[in-house]
Amino acid sequence: MNQAARSLRLKAARTIVIAFPDIGNPYYSTVLDAVVHETSSRGYGALVANRLGEDPNPTRWLRDYFLSSRADGMVLFDGSLDTDELYGLRSEGGKLPLVVSFDELPDARLHSVMTDNRSAAARATRHLIELGHRRIAHIQSRSKRPGVPSERLLGFHEAMASAGLPVPEGFVFPGTFTIESGEAAGRAILALRERPTAVFAGNDEMAIGMLSVLRANGVECPRDISVVGFDDISIASRYVPPLTTMRQPREEMGRLATRTLLDILESEEQEIEPLHIVLRSELVIRESARRWGGEPRAATYA
């Protein structure tokens, strides 16, 4: 038995690591509350790690925690880490003390708790289509898988294609889940000769960044442009106008991801098949998206 396997079997720190890409992002505050509540209710402690992806070798840091018996397992919300190295943390018998929760699953060998990002993005886009919009742009989120489009971008394209609507060149803007990347998309929209009448943004922060730039230049929402975001962070309902968005069940994600990890740690089974839990997001209709130019033409969905 190697040292890693021996440590994983013998230690009982009753502590887990929770890794976030950016704890300052308001999306994660609700998630963190749910994780801490679940760990404490089960008699475990929690260590919070932030921005592991900025470490030159973050996976080694995590392995050291496991081998030194300071932590029994990890719930990972940071999709920037090398999944092959993470999979190497499994015990000799095959048990992997790790559950991931990203906006997409880069490695099916890992236990995961996710939302239905692709179908949720399609529903968000269809909402704009049903409001009569035909020129719809998208601020995309960065994919965790090199060379593979993000799930939300794929959902956007699927909805547009199903309605028989083209996506004009230059109508998909790069994003990094930040307000700043939304602002960059807003400036790019202002520079277009023909602007979209609606935008589906890959998260609420990018939507808000874009809207702030457009408003500063006399483009009003929803009078001139409708917007749908994603996540339903706390400011979404308080922004002006209140943001229509896809509400991710963040509390349930944090709770189930933690519960799944603790169940794995406490299981007598050494070989556990990868568990994949998918939760449904909810379309929350507010005031940032409205009907465009009278009655919409009928759209045909495949």
Side-chain angles (χ1 to χ4, degrees), residues 20-34:
F20 293 106
D22 181 6
I23 195 63
N25 186 318
Y27 172 86
Y28 293 110
S29 60
T30 302
V31 175
L32 177 58
D33 286 345

Side-chain angles (χ1 to χ4, degrees), residues 87-109:
Y87 191 70
L89 296 173
R90 69 191 186 283
S91 66
E92 189 176 75
K95 182 184 287 189
L96 182 63
L98 170 70
V99 175
V100 301
S101 185
F102 315 142
D103 54 312
E104 55 190 329
L105 181 61
D107 191 333
R109 297 174 298 175

Side-chain angles (χ1 to χ4, degrees), residues 2 4 10 23 27 53 62 68 74 76 93 100 102 116 155 171 198 206 215 220 230 244 246 249 263 268 282-283 293:
N2 61 36
L10 296 180
I23 195 63
Y27 172 86
L62 295 170
S68 65
M74 178 175 64
L76 178 65
V100 301
F102 315 142
D116 55 341
F171 267 39
M206 293 191 294
R215 179 180 293 114
E220 292 293 335
F230 205 108
T244 293
M246 298 303 300
D263 288 347
E268 294 295 328
E282 173 191 358
L283 175 64

Side-chain angles (χ1 to χ4, degrees), residues 262-279:
L262 299 183
D263 288 347
I264 290 168
L265 291 174
E266 295 175 356
S267 172
E268 294 295 328
E269 298 180 33
Q270 278 300 308
E271 292 191 36
I272 301 176
E273 290 295 315
L275 302 169
H276 302 304
I277 300 171
V278 180
L279 305 175

Side-chain angles (χ1 to χ4, degrees), residues 74 199 234 294:
M74 178 175 64
V199 175
S234 58

Side-chain angles (χ1 to χ4, degrees), residues 102-222:
F102 315 142
D103 54 312
E104 55 190 329
L105 181 61
D107 191 333
R109 297 174 298 175
L110 304 177
H111 306 295
S112 65
V113 175
M114 303 168 57
T115 54
D116 55 341
N117 286 277
R118 190 165 180 167
S119 63
R123 294 199 305 277
T125 306
R126 283 200 297 270
H127 177 64
L128 291 169
I129 295 170
E130 289 162 0
L131 289 174
H133 295 277
R134 299 295 173 260
R135 294 178 59 80
I136 304 173
H138 176 54
I139 309 175
Q140 65 175 315
S141 51
R142 185 170 50 198
S143 176
K144 307 298 188 302
R145 298 168 295 174
V148 179
S150 74
E151 290 291 299
R152 295 176 195 177
L153 175 63
L154 291 172
F156 165 73
H157 278 298
E158 285 178 0
M160 294 293 283
S162 293
L165 297 174
V167 179
E169 184 177 356
F171 267 39
V172 175
F173 306 97
T176 57
F177 289 118
T178 62
I179 286 178
E180 290 77 14
S181 62
E183 291 172 339
R187 290 190 290 271
I189 288 173
L190 290 172
L192 292 173
R193 170 180 271 183
E194 290 188 74
R195 297 172 184 166
T197 65
V199 175
F200 164 50
N203 80 338
D204 292 342
E205 288 195 81
M206 293 191 294
I208 288 169
M210 178 200 68
L211 286 174
S212 67
V213 168
L214 295 183
R215 179 180 293 114
N217 288 272
V219 180
E220 292 293 335
C221 172

